[in-house]
Coordinates of all heavy atoms in Angstrom, one line a residue:
M213 N 47.6 122.4 102.1 CA 47.4 121.3 103.0 C 48.4 121.5 104.2 O 49.6 121.6 103.9 CB 47.7 120.0 102.3 CG 46.9 119.9 101.0 SD 45.1 119.8 101.3 CE 44.9 118.0 101.7
G214 N 48.0 121.4 105.4 CA 48.9 121.6 106.5 C 49.7 120.4 106.9 O 49.8 120.1 108.1
K215 N 50.3 119.8 106.0 CA 51.1 118.6 106.3 C 52.4 119.1 107.0 O 53.1 119.9 106.5 CB 51.4 117.8 105.1 CG 52.2 116.5 105.4 CD 52.1 115.5 104.3 CE 52.6 114.2 104.9 NZ 53.4 113.4 104.2
K216 N 52.6 118.5 108.2 CA 53.9 118.9 108.9 C 54.9 117.9 108.7 O 54.7 116.7 108.9 CB 53.5 119.0 110.4 CG 53.2 120.4 110.8 CD 53.0 120.6 112.3 CE 54.3 120.9 113.0 NZ 54.2 121.2 114.4
F217 N 56.1 118.3 108.3 CA 57.2 117.4 108.2 C 58.0 117.4 109.5 O 58.3 118.5 110.0 CB 58.1 117.8 107.1 CG 57.4 117.6 105.7 CD1 56.8 118.6 105.1 CD2 57.5 116.3 105.1 CE1 56.2 118.5 103.9 CE2 56.8 116.2 103.9 CZ 56.2 117.2 103.3
P218 N 58.3 116.3 110.1 CA 59.1 116.3 111.3 C 60.5 116.9 111.0 O 61.0 116.8 109.9 CB 59.2 114.9 111.7 CG 58.9 114.1 110.4 CD 58.1 115.0 109.6
L219 N 61.1 117.5 112.0 CA 62.5 117.9 111.8 C 63.4 116.7 111.6 O 63.2 115.7 112.2 CB 63.0 118.7 113.1 CG 62.5 120.1 113.3 CD1 63.0 120.6 114.7 CD2 63.0 121.0 112.2
P220 N 64.4 116.9 110.8 CA 65.4 115.8 110.7 C 66.0 115.6 112.1 O 66.2 116.6 112.9 CB 66.5 116.4 109.8 CG 65.8 117.5 109.1 CD 64.8 118.1 110.0
P221 N 66.2 114.4 112.5 CA 66.6 114.1 113.9 C 67.9 114.8 114.3 O 68.0 115.2 115.5 CB 66.8 112.6 113.9 CG 66.5 112.1 112.6 CD 66.0 113.2 111.7
W222 N 68.8 115.0 113.3 CA 70.0 115.6 113.8 C 69.9 117.1 114.1 O 70.7 117.6 114.8 CB 71.1 115.4 112.7 CG 70.8 116.1 111.4 CD1 70.1 115.7 110.3 CD2 71.3 117.4 111.0 NE1 70.1 116.6 109.3 CE2 70.8 117.7 109.7 CE3 72.1 118.4 111.6 CZ2 71.1 118.9 109.0 CZ3 72.3 119.6 111.0 CH2 71.8 119.8 109.7
L223 N 68.8 117.7 113.7 CA 68.6 119.1 114.1 C 68.3 119.2 115.6 O 68.5 120.3 116.2 CB 67.4 119.7 113.3 CG 67.8 120.2 111.9 CD1 66.6 120.9 111.3 CD2 68.9 121.2 112.0
E224 N 67.8 118.1 116.2 CA 67.5 118.2 117.6 C 68.8 117.9 118.4 O 68.8 117.9 119.6 CB 66.4 117.1 118.0 CG 65.1 117.5 117.3 CD 64.1 116.3 117.5 OE1 64.3 115.5 118.4 OE2 63.1 116.3 116.7
H225 N 69.8 117.5 117.7 CA 71.1 117.1 118.3 C 72.3 117.8 117.7 O 73.3 117.1 117.3 CB 71.2 115.6 118.2 CG 70.1 114.8 118.7 ND1 69.8 114.7 120.1 CD2 69.1 114.1 118.1 CE1 68.7 114.0 120.2 NE2 68.2 113.6 119.0
T226 N 72.2 119.1 117.4 CA 73.2 119.7 116.7 C 74.5 119.7 117.4 O 75.6 119.6 116.8 CB 72.8 121.2 116.4 OG1 72.4 121.8 117.6 CG2 71.7 121.3 115.3
A227 N 74.5 119.7 118.7 CA 75.8 119.6 119.5 C 76.5 118.3 119.2 O 77.7 118.2 119.0 CB 75.5 119.8 121.0
M228 N 75.7 117.2 119.2 CA 76.2 115.9 118.9 C 76.8 115.8 117.5 O 77.8 115.3 117.2 CB 75.2 114.8 119.1 CG 75.7 113.4 119.0 SD 74.5 112.2 119.5 CE 73.4 112.2 118.1
V229 N 76.0 116.4 116.5 CA 76.4 116.4 115.1 C 77.8 117.1 115.0 O 78.7 116.6 114.4 CB 75.4 117.2 114.3 CG1 76.0 117.5 112.9 CG2 74.1 116.3 114.1
K230 N 77.9 118.3 115.7 CA 79.1 119.1 115.6 C 80.3 118.3 116.2 O 81.4 118.3 115.7 CB 79.0 120.4 116.3 CG 78.1 121.3 115.5 CD 77.9 122.7 116.0 CE 76.9 123.5 115.2 NZ 76.9 124.9 115.5
K231 N 80.0 117.6 117.3 CA 81.1 116.8 117.9 C 81.5 115.7 117.0 O 82.7 115.4 116.8 CB 80.6 116.2 119.3 CG 81.6 115.4 120.0 CD 81.1 114.9 121.3 CE 82.2 114.1 122.0 NZ 82.9 113.0 121.2
K232 N 80.5 115.0 116.4 CA 80.9 113.9 115.5 C 81.6 114.4 114.3 O 82.6 113.7 113.8 CB 79.6 113.2 115.1 CG 79.1 112.2 116.1 CD 77.9 111.4 115.6 CE 77.4 110.4 116.6 NZ 78.2 109.1 116.6
M233 N 81.3 115.5 113.8 CA 82.0 116.1 112.6 C 83.4 116.4 113.0 O 84.4 116.1 112.3 CB 81.3 117.4 112.2 CG 79.9 117.2 111.6 SD 79.9 116.5 110.0 CE 80.0 118.0 109.0
K234 N 83.6 116.9 114.2 CA 85.0 117.2 114.6 C 85.8 115.9 114.8 O 87.0 115.8 114.5 CB 85.0 118.0 115.9 CG 84.7 119.5 115.7 CD 84.6 120.3 116.9 CE 84.1 121.7 116.6 NZ 83.5 122.4 117.7
D235 N 85.1 114.9 115.4 CA 85.7 113.6 115.6 C 86.3 113.0 114.3 O 87.3 112.3 114.3 CB 84.8 112.6 116.2 CG 84.5 112.9 117.7 OD1 85.2 113.7 118.3 OD2 83.6 112.3 118.3
R236 N 85.5 113.3 113.2 CA 85.9 112.8 111.9 C 87.0 113.7 111.2 O 87.4 113.4 110.1 CB 84.7 112.7 111.0 CG 83.8 111.6 111.5 CD 82.7 111.4 110.5 NE 81.9 110.2 110.9 CZ 81.6 109.2 110.1 NH1 82.0 109.3 108.8 NH2 80.9 108.2 110.5
G237 N 87.4 114.8 111.9 CA 88.4 115.6 111.3 C 87.9 116.8 110.5 O 88.7 117.5 109.9
F238 N 86.6 117.0 110.5 CA 86.0 118.2 109.8 C 86.3 119.4 110.6 O 86.3 119.5 111.8 CB 84.5 118.0 109.6 CG 84.1 117.1 108.5 CD1 84.0 115.7 108.7 CD2 83.9 117.6 107.2 CE1 83.6 114.9 107.7 CE2 83.6 116.7 106.2 CZ 83.4 115.4 106.4
K239 N 86.6 120.5 109.8 CA 86.7 121.8 110.4 C 85.6 122.7 109.9 O 85.4 122.8 108.7 CB 88.1 122.4 110.1 CG 89.2 121.6 110.8 CD 90.5 122.4 110.8 CE 91.5 121.8 111.8 NZ 91.7 120.4 111.7
M240 N 85.0 123.5 110.8 CA 84.0 124.4 110.4 C 84.6 125.7 109.9 O 85.4 126.3 110.5 CB 83.0 124.6 111.6 CG 81.7 125.3 111.2 SD 80.6 125.5 112.6 CE 80.7 127.3 112.7
A241 N 84.1 126.0 108.7 CA 84.6 127.3 108.1 C 83.9 128.4 108.9 O 82.8 128.3 109.4 CB 84.2 127.4 106.7
D242 N 84.7 129.5 109.1 CA 84.1 130.6 109.9 C 83.2 131.5 109.1 O 83.4 132.7 109.1 CB 85.2 131.4 110.7 CG 86.2 132.0 109.7 OD1 86.1 131.7 108.5 OD2 87.1 132.7 110.2
R243 N 82.4 130.9 108.4 CA 81.4 131.7 107.7 C 80.1 130.9 107.6 O 80.1 129.7 107.6 CB 81.8 132.1 106.2 CG 81.9 130.9 105.3 CD 82.7 131.2 104.1 NE 83.1 130.0 103.4 CZ 82.5 129.4 102.4 NH1 81.3 129.9 102.0 NH2 82.9 128.3 101.9
V244 N 79.0 131.7 107.7 CA 77.7 131.1 107.6 C 77.0 131.7 106.4 O 77.1 132.9 106.1 CB 76.9 131.3 108.9 CG1 75.5 130.8 108.8 CG2 77.6 130.7 110.1
Q245 N 76.3 130.9 105.6 CA 75.7 131.3 104.4 C 74.1 131.3 104.6 O 73.6 130.6 105.4 CB 76.0 130.4 103.2 CG 77.5 130.3 103.0 CD 77.8 129.4 101.9 OE1 78.5 129.8 100.9 NE2 77.4 128.1 101.9
I246 N 73.5 132.0 103.6 CA 72.0 132.0 103.6 C 71.6 130.7 102.9 O 72.1 130.3 101.8 CB 71.5 133.2 102.9 CG1 71.7 134.4 103.7 CG2 70.0 133.0 102.6 CD1 71.3 135.7 103.0
C247 N 70.8 129.9 103.6 CA 70.3 128.6 103.0 C 69.3 128.9 101.9 O 68.4 129.8 102.0 CB 69.5 127.9 104.1 SG 68.7 126.4 103.5
E248 N 69.5 128.2 100.8 CA 68.7 128.4 99.6 C 67.3 127.9 99.8 O 66.3 128.3 99.1 CB 69.3 127.8 98.4 CG 70.5 128.4 97.9 CD 71.2 127.6 96.8 OE1 70.6 126.7 96.2 OE2 72.4 127.9 96.5
K249 N 67.1 127.0 100.7 CA 65.8 126.3 100.9 C 64.9 127.1 101.9 O 63.8 127.4 101.5 CB 66.0 124.9 101.5 CG 64.8 124.1 101.5 CD 65.1 122.7 102.0 CE 63.8 122.0 102.4 NZ 64.1 120.7 103.0
C250 N 65.5 127.5 103.1 CA 64.6 128.2 104.0 C 64.9 129.6 104.1 O 64.2 130.4 104.8 CB 64.8 127.5 105.4 SG 66.4 127.7 106.2
E251 N 66.0 130.1 103.5 CA 66.4 131.5 103.4 C 66.8 132.1 104.8 O 66.7 133.3 105.0 CB 65.3 132.4 102.7 CG 65.1 131.9 101.3 CD 64.1 132.8 100.5 OE1 63.4 133.6 101.2 OE2 64.1 132.7 99.3
E252 N 67.1 131.2 105.7 CA 67.7 131.6 107.0 C 69.2 131.7 106.9 O 69.8 130.9 106.1 CB 67.3 130.7 108.1 CG 65.8 130.7 108.5 CD 65.4 132.0 109.1 OE1 66.3 132.6 109.8 OE2 64.3 132.5 108.9
Y253 N 69.8 132.5 107.7 CA 71.2 132.7 107.7 C 71.8 131.6 108.6 O 72.2 131.9 109.7 CB 71.6 134.1 108.2 CG 72.9 134.6 107.8 CD1 73.3 134.8 106.5 CD2 73.9 134.8 108.8 CE1 74.6 135.3 106.2 CE2 75.1 135.3 108.5 CZ 75.5 135.5 107.2 OH 76.7 136.0 106.9
A254 N 71.8 130.4 108.1 CA 72.1 129.2 109.0 C 72.8 128.1 108.4 O 72.9 127.0 109.0 CB 70.7 128.7 109.6
E255 N 73.3 128.3 107.2 CA 74.0 127.2 106.5 C 75.5 127.2 106.8 O 76.2 128.1 106.5 CB 73.8 127.3 105.0 CG 74.2 126.0 104.3 CD 74.0 126.0 102.8 OE1 74.7 126.9 102.2 OE2 73.2 125.3 102.3
E256 N 75.9 126.2 107.5 CA 77.3 126.1 107.9 C 78.1 125.2 106.9 O 77.5 124.3 106.3 CB 77.5 125.5 109.3 CG 76.8 126.4 110.4 CD 77.0 125.8 111.8 OE1 77.4 124.7 111.9 OE2 76.7 126.5 112.7
T257 N 79.4 125.5 106.7 CA 80.2 124.8 105.8 C 81.3 124.1 106.6 O 82.0 124.7 107.5 CB 80.9 125.7 104.8 OG1 79.8 126.3 104.0 CG2 81.7 124.9 103.8
W258 N 81.4 122.8 106.4 CA 82.5 122.0 107.0 C 83.4 121.4 106.0 O 82.9 121.0 104.9 CB 81.8 120.8 107.8 CG 81.0 121.3 109.0 CD1 79.7 121.8 108.9 CD2 81.3 121.3 110.4 NE1 79.3 122.1 110.2 CE2 80.2 121.8 111.1 CE3 82.4 120.8 111.1 CZ2 80.2 121.9 112.4 CZ3 82.4 120.9 112.4 CH2 81.3 121.5 113.1
A259 N 84.6 121.4 106.3 CA 85.6 120.8 105.3 C 86.5 119.8 105.9 O 87.0 120.0 107.0 CB 86.4 122.0 104.7
L260 N 86.7 118.8 105.2 CA 87.7 117.7 105.6 C 88.8 117.7 104.5 O 88.5 117.5 103.3 CB 87.0 116.4 105.7 CG 87.9 115.2 106.0 CD1 88.4 115.3 107.4 CD2 87.2 113.9 105.8
R261 N 90.0 117.8 104.9 CA 91.1 117.7 103.9 C 91.7 116.3 104.0 O 92.3 116.0 105.1 CB 92.2 118.8 104.2 CG 91.7 120.2 103.9 CD 91.5 120.4 102.4 NE 90.5 121.5 102.2 CZ 89.3 121.2 101.7 NH1 89.0 120.0 101.3 NH2 88.5 122.1 101.5
G262 N 91.6 115.6 103.0 CA 92.1 114.2 103.0 C 93.6 114.2 102.8 O 94.2 115.2 102.6
P263 N 94.1 113.0 102.9 CA 95.6 112.8 102.6 C 95.9 113.3 101.2 O 95.0 113.3 100.4 CB 95.8 111.3 102.7 CG 94.6 110.8 103.5 CD 93.5 111.7 103.2
E264 N 97.2 113.6 101.0 CA 97.6 114.1 99.7 C 97.1 113.2 98.6 O 97.3 112.0 98.6 CB 99.1 114.2 99.7 CG 99.7 115.1 98.7 CD 99.4 116.6 99.0 OE1 99.5 117.0 100.1 OE2 99.1 117.3 98.0
G265 N 96.5 113.9 97.6 CA 96.1 113.1 96.4 C 94.7 112.5 96.5 O 94.1 112.1 95.5
L266 N 94.2 112.4 97.7 CA 92.9 111.7 97.8 C 91.7 112.7 97.9 O 90.6 112.3 97.9 CB 92.9 110.9 99.1 CG 93.5 109.5 99.0 CD1 93.5 108.8 100.3 CD2 92.9 108.7 97.9
G267 N 92.1 114.0 97.9 CA 91.0 115.0 98.0 C 90.4 115.0 99.4 O 90.9 114.4 100.3
G268 N 89.2 115.6 99.5 CA 88.6 115.7 100.8 C 87.1 115.7 100.6 O 86.6 115.2 99.6
R269 N 86.4 116.2 101.6 CA 85.0 116.3 101.5 C 84.5 117.6 102.1 O 85.1 118.1 103.1 CB 84.3 115.2 102.2 CG 82.8 115.1 102.1 CD 82.2 114.1 103.0 NE 82.2 112.8 102.4 CZ 81.3 112.3 101.6 NH1 80.3 113.0 101.2 NH2 81.3 111.0 101.2
D270 N 83.6 118.3 101.4 CA 83.0 119.5 101.9 C 81.5 119.3 102.2 O 80.9 118.6 101.3 CB 83.1 120.7 101.0 CG 84.6 121.1 100.8 OD1 85.2 121.5 101.8 OD2 85.1 121.0 99.7
I271 N 81.0 119.7 103.3 CA 79.6 119.5 103.6 C 79.0 120.9 104.0 O 79.6 121.6 104.8 CB 79.4 118.5 104.8 CG1 79.9 117.1 104.4 CG2 78.0 118.5 105.3 CD1 79.8 116.1 105.5
C272 N 77.9 121.2 103.3 CA 77.1 122.4 103.7 C 75.9 121.9 104.4 O 75.1 121.1 103.8 CB 76.7 123.2 102.5 SG 78.0 124.3 101.9
A273 N 75.6 122.3 105.6 CA 74.4 121.9 106.3 C 73.7 123.0 107.0 O 74.4 123.8 107.6 CB 74.8 120.8 107.3
C274 N 72.4 123.1 106.7 CA 71.6 124.2 107.3 C 71.2 123.8 108.7 O 70.6 122.7 108.9 CB 70.4 124.5 106.4 SG 69.3 125.8 107.2
M275 N 71.5 124.6 109.7 CA 71.2 124.3 111.1 C 69.7 124.7 111.4 O 69.3 124.5 112.5 CB 72.2 125.0 112.0 CG 73.6 124.5 111.9 SD 73.7 122.8 112.4 CE 75.0 122.2 111.3
N276 N 69.0 125.2 110.4 CA 67.6 125.6 110.6 C 66.7 124.6 110.1 O 65.8 124.1 110.8 CB 67.4 127.0 110.0 CG 65.9 127.4 110.2 OD1 65.5 127.5 111.3 ND2 65.2 127.6 109.1
C277 N 66.8 124.2 108.8 CA 65.9 123.3 108.2 C 66.5 121.9 107.9 O 65.7 121.0 107.6 CB 65.3 123.9 106.8 SG 66.5 123.9 105.5
G278 N 67.8 121.8 108.0 CA 68.3 120.5 107.8 C 68.8 120.1 106.4 O 69.2 119.0 106.2
R279 N 68.7 121.1 105.5 CA 69.2 120.8 104.2 C 70.7 120.6 104.2 O 71.5 121.3 104.8 CB 68.9 122.0 103.2 CG 69.4 121.8 101.8 CD 69.2 123.0 101.0 NE 69.4 122.7 99.6 CZ 70.1 123.4 98.7 NH1 70.7 124.5 99.1 NH2 70.3 123.0 97.5
A280 N 71.1 119.5 103.6 CA 72.6 119.2 103.6 C 73.0 118.8 102.2 O 72.3 118.2 101.4 CB 72.9 118.1 104.5
R281 N 74.2 119.3 101.8 CA 74.8 119.0 100.5 C 76.3 118.6 100.8 O 76.9 119.0 101.8 CB 74.8 120.2 99.6 CG 73.5 120.6 99.2 CD 73.5 121.9 98.4 NE 73.8 123.0 99.3 CZ 74.3 124.2 98.9 NH1 74.5 124.4 97.6 NH2 74.5 125.2 99.7
S282 N 76.8 117.8 99.9 CA 78.2 117.4 100.1 C 79.0 117.4 98.8 O 78.4 117.1 97.7 CB 78.2 116.0 100.7 OG 79.5 115.5 100.7
W283 N 80.2 117.8 98.8 CA 81.1 117.7 97.7 C 82.3 116.8 98.1 O 82.9 117.0 99.1 CB 81.6 119.0 97.3 CG 80.6 119.9 96.7 CD1 80.3 120.2 95.4 CD2 79.7 120.8 97.5 NE1 79.3 121.1 95.3 CE2 78.9 121.5 96.5 CE3 79.5 121.0 98.8 CZ2 77.9 122.4 96.9 CZ3 78.5 121.8 99.2 CH2 77.7 122.5 98.3
K284 N 82.6 115.9 97.2 CA 83.7 114.9 97.5 C 84.7 115.0 96.4 O 84.3 115.0 95.2 CB 83.1 113.5 97.7 CG 84.1 112.5 98.3 CD 83.3 111.2 98.4 CE 84.3 110.1 98.9 NZ 83.7 108.8 98.9
G285 N 86.0 114.9 96.8 CA 87.0 114.9 95.8 C 87.4 116.3 95.2 O 86.9 117.3 95.7
N286 N 88.2 116.3 94.3 CA 88.7 117.6 93.7 C 88.6 117.5 92.2 O 88.6 116.5 91.6 CB 90.2 117.8 94.1 CG 90.3 118.1 95.6 OD1 89.6 119.0 96.1 ND2 91.3 117.5 96.2
G287 N 88.6 118.7 91.6 CA 88.7 118.9 90.2 C 87.6 118.2 89.4 O 86.5 118.2 89.8
A288 N 88.0 117.5 88.3 CA 87.1 116.9 87.5 C 86.4 115.7 88.1 O 85.3 115.3 87.8 CB 87.7 116.4 86.2
G289 N 87.0 115.1 89.2 CA 86.4 114.0 89.8 C 85.5 114.3 91.0 O 85.1 113.5 91.7
R290 N 85.2 115.6 91.0 CA 84.3 116.1 92.1 C 82.9 115.5 92.0 O 82.3 115.6 91.0 CB 84.3 117.6 92.1 CG 84.1 118.3 93.4 CD 84.7 119.7 93.2 NE 84.0 120.7 94.1 CZ 84.4 120.9 95.3 NH1 85.3 120.2 95.9 NH2 83.8 121.8 96.1
V291 N 82.4 115.0 93.1 CA 81.1 114.4 93.1 C 80.2 115.2 94.1 O 80.6 115.4 95.2 CB 81.2 112.9 93.6 CG1 79.8 112.3 93.7 CG2 82.1 112.1 92.6
I292 N 79.1 115.6 93.6 CA 78.1 116.3 94.4 C 77.0 115.4 94.9 O 76.5 114.6 94.0 CB 77.5 117.5 93.7 CG1 78.6 118.5 93.2 CG2 76.5 118.2 94.5 CD1 78.1 119.6 92.4
E293 N 76.7 115.4 96.1 CA 75.5 114.7 96.6 C 74.6 115.7 97.2 O 74.9 116.4 98.2 CB 76.0 113.7 97.7 CG 76.8 112.6 97.2 CD 77.4 111.8 98.4 OE1 76.6 111.1 99.1 OE2 78.6 111.9 98.7
D294 N 73.4 115.9 96.6 CA 72.5 116.9 97.0 C 71.1 116.3 96.7 O 70.7 116.2 95.6 CB 72.7 118.2 96.2 CG 71.7 119.3 96.6 OD1 70.9 119.1 97.6 OD2 71.7 120.3 95.9
P295 N 70.3 116.0 97.7 CA 70.6 116.1 99.1 C 71.6 115.1 99.6 O 71.8 114.0 99.0 CB 69.2 115.9 99.8 CG 68.5 115.0 98.9 CD 69.0 115.4 97.5
F296 N 72.2 115.4 100.8 CA 73.2 114.6 101.4 C 72.6 114.0 102.7 O 72.0 114.7 103.5 CB 74.5 115.4 101.7 CG 75.5 114.6 102.4 CD1 76.1 113.5 101.8 CD2 76.0 115.0 103.6 CE1 77.1 112.8 102.4 CE2 77.0 114.3 104.3 CZ 77.6 113.2 103.7
D297 N 72.8 112.7 102.9 CA 72.3 112.0 104.1 C 73.3 112.2 105.2 O 74.0 111.3 105.5 CB 72.1 110.5 103.7 CG 71.5 109.8 104.9 OD1 71.1 110.4 105.9 OD2 71.5 108.6 104.9
L298 N 73.2 113.4 105.8 CA 74.1 113.7 106.9 C 73.9 112.7 108.2 O 74.9 112.2 108.7 CB 74.0 115.1 107.4 CG 75.0 115.6 108.4 CD1 76.4 115.4 108.0 CD2 74.8 117.1 108.7
P299 N 72.7 112.5 108.6 CA 72.5 111.5 109.7 C 73.1 110.2 109.4 O 73.7 109.5 110.2 CB 71.0 111.5 109.9 CG 70.5 112.7 109.3 CD 71.4 113.1 108.2
G300 N 72.8 109.7 108.2 CA 73.4 108.4 107.8 C 74.9 108.4 107.8 O 75.6 107.5 108.2
F301 N 75.5 109.5 107.3 CA 76.9 109.7 107.2 C 77.5 109.6 108.6 O 78.6 109.0 108.8 CB 77.2 111.0 106.5 CG 78.7 111.3 106.4 CD1 79.5 110.5 105.5 CD2 79.3 112.3 107.1 CE1 80.9 110.8 105.4 CE2 80.6 112.6 107.0 CZ 81.4 111.9 106.1
L302 N 76.9 110.2 109.5 CA 77.4 110.3 110.9 C 76.9 109.1 111.8 O 77.4 109.0 112.9 CB 77.0 111.6 111.6 CG 77.6 112.9 110.9 CD1 77.0 114.1 111.6 CD2 79.1 112.9 111.0
G303 N 76.0 108.3 111.2 CA 75.5 107.2 112.0 C 74.6 107.6 113.1 O 74.6 107.0 114.2
I304 N 73.8 108.6 112.9 CA 72.8 109.0 113.9 C 71.4 109.0 113.3 O 71.3 108.9 112.1 CB 73.1 110.4 114.5 CG1 73.2 111.4 113.4 CG2 74.4 110.3 115.3 CD1 73.3 112.8 114.0
G305 N 70.4 109.2 114.1 CA 69.1 109.4 113.6 C 68.3 108.2 113.4 O 68.6 107.1 113.4
Ligands
ZN163 ZN1 67.7 125.9 105.6

């Protein structure tokens, strides 16, 4: 069935997404991974280091298909959100 899914809105605004991520203190890791969903070499990793003891947040987001995952906290308290609502997190879309 040729059902077409619209692109996630943030994929049309990747420049804005990147700016908002930087505004929040995220730093982009200088490596890009292969996305498990679309198999394109387009998954970027962003990391936020929180204040001492509070952990941080890591976000993997594919700039091709929009798949996003997030890890929050450290060690045993680490929480994975998959899929992750990146537009909602950034307040766009
Ligand atoms: Zn992808």
Side-chain angles (χ1 to χ4, degrees):
M213 310 295 275
K215 185 163 191 220
K216 267 186 90 174
F217 292 95
L219 281 176
W222 65 272
L223 278 183
E224 298 172 17
H225 307 288
T226 51
M228 185 172 75
V229 167
K230 290 182 184 194
K231 182 179 182 305
K232 281 185 177 276
M233 294 285 273
K234 281 177 186 156
D235 287 348
R236 288 183 175 233
F238 281 87
K239 291 198 166 46
M240 195 178 110
D242 56 356
R243 67 193 162 96
V244 176
Q245 307 180 120
I246 293 176
C247 173
E248 290 172 15
K249 187 176 168 191
C250 68
E251 299 185 343
E252 288 292 328
Y253 199 66
E255 190 180 67
E256 296 182 351
T257 301
W258 295 77
L260 177 69
R261 291 289 152 252
E264 200 67 41
L266 280 179
R269 186 189 276 277
D270 294 300
I271 293 175
C272 278
C274 176
M275 294 296 146
N276 180 59
C277 71
R279 180 184 192 226
R281 294 173 288 160
S282 168
W283 293 262
K284 194 179 175 188
N286 287 314
R290 208 156 152 84
V291 178
I292 301 177
E293 291 170 73
D294 181 6
F296 177 62
D297 180 14
L298 185 57
F301 179 71
L302 294 175
I304 57 173

